[in-house]
Amino acid sequence: MERKTPLISQEDLRRQEEISDYIKGWWQSQGVTPVAYVETYGCQQNEADSEQIRGILERCGYGLTDQAEGADLIVINTCAIREHAAQRVFGNVGALVHTKRRHPGQKIFVCGCMMGKPEISERMKKSYPHVDGIFSPHHLWQLPEHLYRVLIRHRKAYAVEDSDGAIAEGLPVVRTNTIKAWVSIMYGCNNFCSYCIVPYVRGRERSRLPEDILAECRDLIAKGYKEITLLGQNVNSYGKDLGLGVDFADLLGQIAELDGDFILRFMTSHPRDASHKLFDTMASHDKIAKQFHLPFQSGNDRILKAMNRHYDRAQYLSLIEYGRKLMPEIVFTSDVIVGFPGETEEEFEDTVSLIEQVRYEALFTFIYSPRPGTPAAELPDPTPKEEKNRRFDRLLAVQNAISEEKHKALVGKTLRVLVDGKDGDKLTARTDGGRLVRLDGEDDLIGQFITVTITDATTWSLVGALTPLGKRMDAVTLRPAAREDLRTLWEMQIEAFSGLLEKYRDYETNPGAEPFEKVLARFEQPWTVYYFIMAGDRPVGVIRIVDKKDGSRKRIAPIFIMPEHRNNGFAQAAIRAAEQIHGPRHWSLDTILQEPGNLHLYEKMGYRRTGQIERINDRMDIVFYEKD
Ligand code: 5AD
Ligand code: SF4
């Protein structure tokens, strides 16, 4: 199949860069450093667009400010998804007339999804003469040109014509966060859910090339980003337009295989296109967060049909079931609409029962909002507003109770989190499943994966405490085990494998099920040494070194880290300590499978694959590494 989505040509992009440089020079010649204020409404996709807007503006010589007052340029990036958001935009843009009066040179641009609807952009143009520029998402990449028109030519800029929405690669970006990054992998949507405006304002689905996405992710990881979220209106149909034979699961897997310590998320998924393959890929990569945002919108089949969703309740539930069977720890979240035109009380109850059946971690609940131009806006809608509000409140109450129960069940558990910022005097962090954790701790933990014990929970968030050794340890010592220590060591080994037995089920040398006699017999071997891995004076794990002098034996060194200390970098630190005692050596991959995210540990530490692979069974290979 021919690739349908054209890229915007290098030549066109270069032209925009030249205009940017011109504008920058123009400002310099006035002896002014202009500042721009960018305000974003709506979803993460819009936030990602705003990061490009900021990037382009910076190239044009603008500094960034977080206040509209006094800014030389204001850009309002709008959302069209519900009427309420649209009304707010009209109100806020209207109010800017005063700001502009106080700062006459100020220029105002309005862009984003609302401007993708001709009736709305037309209304904006007519009602608000103080707005200098209007452009739809398709025309974002030409922002320098729009600015030029307004600043230098003293004209209005108006770019809202529909287009196929070619993709502009390599636009500059100013990211607002240094730990988490959002990467758009595709744009637009082909689904035409009957209530939704998105396909009309963002155009047809078009995917970025896998190599461009991989390059961006590689760059982000190299810059130290710890969380990457892949964005698209419907990520599951990624690649369909490319004809390269690469689907979303393939792309996700490829990114998850990149070296580095990071966690990978994605949104949003349409249940129609969410494949078993995608769940399989999630399950087989530790770096992919076990979190799935899977909007169901309604629990009733008639409504789902009227929404043009192309799946029914049973199909949706079977997806959830498949995901949970594969990954018992998976966290599901969802979107739901109440009060779709004609929704009856019984049909609404089906939605409630679906929520009770699935028990989501969190839910984004919306009251149906008619969007002119969509098929659903034409449907009769006899249900009074008060009744819709009542249904909405009921849904919230049901979900809040579930969220709280789910959160409370985590109290006492030890979880790996990524510390991502600060809120007041507390650090904020997210679990693998995306749950918010608040905790006390030093600022230098921001940007690190740490382990916390959950001490309390509310509907919205968890309270965590740093585990005593929660902070990543760079140095551990190895203490050789004596004969009288062996029973303790054996018990630690078994405990270290708790929860992992399932993964190792068919592994005949499953160390978590090893009899004590085996440990004892190994201890007698002259080439075997058992060590306790010590962090300070606390044992956090066990390591076995096999070092037969004549080289007749593979030098495998299993490492067992206690469950509460996993993911703190102890495996890595233990390898370093062992290297100091025994020199570089062969390691086998199975030894660190316990630590999610460590699959690339050896390569990170300068080891290379020997090419030797030992097949244990059809689910497990031991891969051997060495370092000279
Ligand atoms: N009215 C209410 N909610 C809507 N959504 C999309 N369109 C509408 C609408 N017209 C909700 C859907 C979607 C989420 C992003 O917003 O639940 O998944
Ligand atoms: Fe995002 Fe849709 Fe709103 Fe556009 S209309 S900002 S795509 S939610």
Side-chain angles (χ1 to χ4, degrees):
M1 192 173 79
E2 271 289 288
R3 180 186 157 81
K4 286 195 223 125
T5 314
L7 290 177
I8 286 162
S9 75
Q10 286 298 318
E11 203 184 338
D12 285 346
L13 290 172
R14 235 187 334 266
R15 167 115 187 93
Q16 296 301 322
E17 286 176 13
E18 283 163 15
I19 303 175
S20 305
D21 295 342
Y22 181 88
I23 295 173
K24 188 173 184 173
W26 181 81
W27 278 112
Q28 277 167 354
S29 70
Q30 328 248 318
V32 175
T33 305
V35 287
Y37 168 70
V38 181
E39 183 166 304
T40 315
Y41 293 77
C43 67
Q44 211 53 58
Q45 180 64 58
N46 246 23
E47 292 286 352
D49 286 357
S50 283
E51 293 190 337
Q52 290 190 333
I53 293 174
R54 290 192 186 94
I56 295 175
L57 292 179
E58 202 166 66
R59 213 184 149 136
C60 294
Y62 285 85
L64 297 167
T65 167
D66 53 8
Q67 290 187 48
E69 192 66 48
D72 298 281
L73 174 69
I74 296 178
V75 182
I76 308 285
N77 191 6
T78 65
C79 169
I81 198 122
R82 280 171 294 274
E83 199 184 347
H84 177 68
Q87 274 166 355
R88 260 180 60 214
V89 165
F90 269 102
N92 293 350
V93 173
L96 290 178
V97 84
H98 307 294
T99 330
K100 192 164 179 170
R101 208 169 285 143
R102 287 191 290 269
H103 190 82
Q106 191 170 61
K107 303 293 175 204
I108 299 173
F109 274 69
V110 183
C111 61
C113 295
M114 271 171 76
M115 300 304 110
K117 285 282 288 174
E119 311 84 82
I120 306 185
S121 56
E122 197 58 35
R123 190 179 138 204
M124 185 65 76
K125 187 172 150 192
K126 289 229 170 75
S127 344
Y128 291 140
H130 62 289
V131 170
D132 300 282
I134 289 178
F135 60 94
S136 70
H138 293 317
H139 299 277
L140 187 160
W141 65 280
Q142 296 154 317
L143 176 55
E145 197 176 315
H146 311 322
L147 263 178
Y148 178 87
R149 211 177 140 76
V150 169
L151 286 177
I152 320 280
R153 309 287 307 274
H154 305 290
R155 310 275 277 276
K156 298 246 169 186
Y158 193 60
V160 296
E161 315 79 62
D162 204 6
S163 89
D164 289 344
I167 292 178
E169 278 299 342
L171 289 184
V173 272
V174 171
R175 297 186 190 270
T176 40
N177 191 301
T178 54
I179 297 157
K180 308 180 186 196
W182 288 269
V183 173
S184 299
I185 60 164
M186 59 183 304
Y187 303 92
C189 179
N190 286 0
N191 280 312
F192 290 96
C193 302
S194 64
Y195 50 81
C196 187
I197 194 84
V198 170
Y200 305 91
V201 295
R202 285 206 173 250
R204 293 298 67 72
E205 281 170 0
R206 51 217 186 270
S207 306
R208 292 176 65 196
L209 290 172
E211 59 264 33
D212 290 334
I213 299 168
L214 279 160
E216 183 173 348
C217 293
R218 228 177 261 122
D219 179 54
L220 288 168
I221 298 161
K223 287 186 173 132
Y225 280 89
K226 292 286 185 272
E227 180 180 297
I228 295 178
T229 304
L230 306 179
L231 292 180
Q233 254 75 37
N234 176 17
V235 290
N236 301 120
S237 52
Y238 172 82
K240 283 183 185 164
D241 56 320
L242 293 176
L244 295 173
V246 177
D247 64 14
F248 179 60
D250 299 329
L251 177 76
L252 193 67
Q254 284 174 25
I255 300 173
E257 300 225 329
L258 293 176
D259 278 342
D261 203 8
F262 66 95
I263 189 152
L264 187 58
R265 304 183 190 276
F266 56 90
M267 61 181 190
T268 291
S269 296
H270 192 302
R272 168 171 78 169
D273 305 306
S275 63
H276 282 194
K277 180 176 163 189
L278 174 57
F279 283 106
D280 298 343
T281 305
M282 285 177 81
S284 58
H285 287 91
D286 290 323
K287 289 183 190 172
I288 305 176
K290 305 296 175 269
Q291 176 195 12
F292 211 118
H293 184 66
L294 194 59
F296 71 100
Q297 314 295 4
S298 165
N300 174 271
D301 286 346
R302 187 192 74 84
I303 297 288
L304 283 172
K305 212 172 167 94
M307 288 177 161
N308 196 30
R309 292 287 287 176
H310 296 281
Y311 56 84
D312 60 23
R313 179 186 173 106
Q315 284 162 339
Y316 181 88
L317 286 172
S318 87
L319 269 182
I320 298 273
E321 190 184 75
Y322 185 80
R324 287 215 166 121
K325 207 155 83 201
L326 216 55
M327 297 165 277
E329 75 279 27
I330 193 169
V331 162
F332 282 107
T333 56
S334 195
D335 292 346
V336 55
I337 298 177
V338 296
F340 185 81
E343 180 192 66
T344 65
E345 182 65 26
E346 295 75 56
E347 287 165 344
F348 166 70
E349 284 303 324
D350 285 342
T351 291
V352 177
S353 79
L354 189 134
I355 293 170
E356 283 169 336
Q357 202 170 333
V358 175
R359 294 177 60 78
Y360 296 97
E361 219 66 28
L363 205 55
F364 298 89
T365 318
F366 305 104
I367 295 186
Y368 170 74
S369 166
R371 307 313 293 129
T374 59
E378 307 297 320
L379 296 173
D381 190 3
T383 316
K385 192 160 172 289
E386 299 68 45
E387 171 57 22
K388 291 190 180 187
N389 287 340
R390 190 198 61 76
R391 289 180 192 171
F392 181 81
D393 292 344
R394 170 145 153 71
L395 270 200
L396 273 193
V398 170
Q399 179 56 43
N400 286 349
I402 296 173
S403 295
E404 190 171 337
E405 276 167 40
K406 288 214 146 193
H407 278 170
K408 289 254 148 68
L410 291 171
V411 173
K413 294 248 166 12
T414 300
L415 302 173
R416 181 171 106 123
V417 297
L418 171 61
V419 184
D420 60 6
K422 232 178 156 173
D423 179 17
D425 60 347
K426 299 278 180 198
L427 293 177
T428 57
R430 294 269 168 188
T431 65
D432 182 294
R435 301 176 183 99
L436 174 65
V437 182
R438 295 159 56 79
L439 68 145
D440 290 316
E442 300 296 324
D443 286 4
D444 69 348
L445 291 178
I446 295 172
Q448 295 200 41
F449 288 102
I450 59 166
T451 345
V452 295
T453 302
I454 303 305
T455 54
D456 201 359
T458 68
T459 313
W460 313 114
S461 66
L462 303 168
V463 180
L466 268 178
T467 54
L469 297 165
K471 194 168 171 210
R472 214 163 249 280
M473 299 297 288
D474 282 329
V476 299
T477 51
L478 301 185
R479 178 166 80 69
R483 176 179 284 273
E484 58 273 23
D485 293 326
L486 282 184
R487 200 159 275 278
T488 313
L489 183 139
W490 173 67
E491 283 165 8
M492 277 181 71
Q493 178 173 310
I494 289 172
E495 202 185 324
F497 261 70
S498 63
L500 292 162
L501 286 169
E502 180 57 19
K503 194 165 185 172
Y504 283 71
R505 197 180 43 206
D506 308 329
Y507 187 15
E508 60 217 18
T509 57
N510 184 340
E514 221 168 55
F516 177 64
E517 286 64 39
K518 193 152 183 183
V519 171
L520 202 58
R522 284 221 199 85
F523 182 78
E524 304 290 354
Q525 296 166 346
W527 55 82
T528 298
V529 194
Y530 276 107
Y531 292 99
F532 287 103
I533 301 168
M534 306 294 293
D537 55 2
R538 296 171 68 102
V540 294
V542 174
I543 183 169
R544 172 162 64 91
I545 306 286
V546 182
D547 216 358
K548 209 167 173 188
K549 288 279 178 300
D550 65 3
S552 63
R553 208 182 153 106
K554 286 172 295 229
R555 292 174 293 171
I556 309 171
I559 306 167
F560 311 113
I561 304 292
M562 303 304 282
E564 68 272 31
H565 298 308
R566 272 180 214 148
N567 303 305
N568 284 341
F570 288 127
Q572 193 166 347
I575 291 178
R576 279 210 202 101
E579 278 177 339
Q580 299 225 319
I581 306 170
H582 295 262
R585 45 196 299 103
H586 292 77
W587 302 90
S588 65
L589 187 61
D590 66 309
T591 60
I592 50 149
L593 273 182
Q594 305 184 63
E595 286 215 5
N598 271 353
L599 289 179
H600 297 278
L601 182 64
Y602 293 140
E603 277 138 2
K604 208 156 62 186
M605 297 185 72
Y607 283 83
R608 57 172 186 276
R609 286 187 185 212
T610 60
Q612 182 194 353
I613 294 179
E614 194 171 305
R615 175 127 286 214
I616 300 297
N617 55 46
D618 62 359
R619 297 193 337 163
M620 180 170 293
D621 293 327
I622 297 187
V623 183
F624 292 88
Y625 289 76
E626 67 180 2
K627 183 151 97 177
D628 305 323

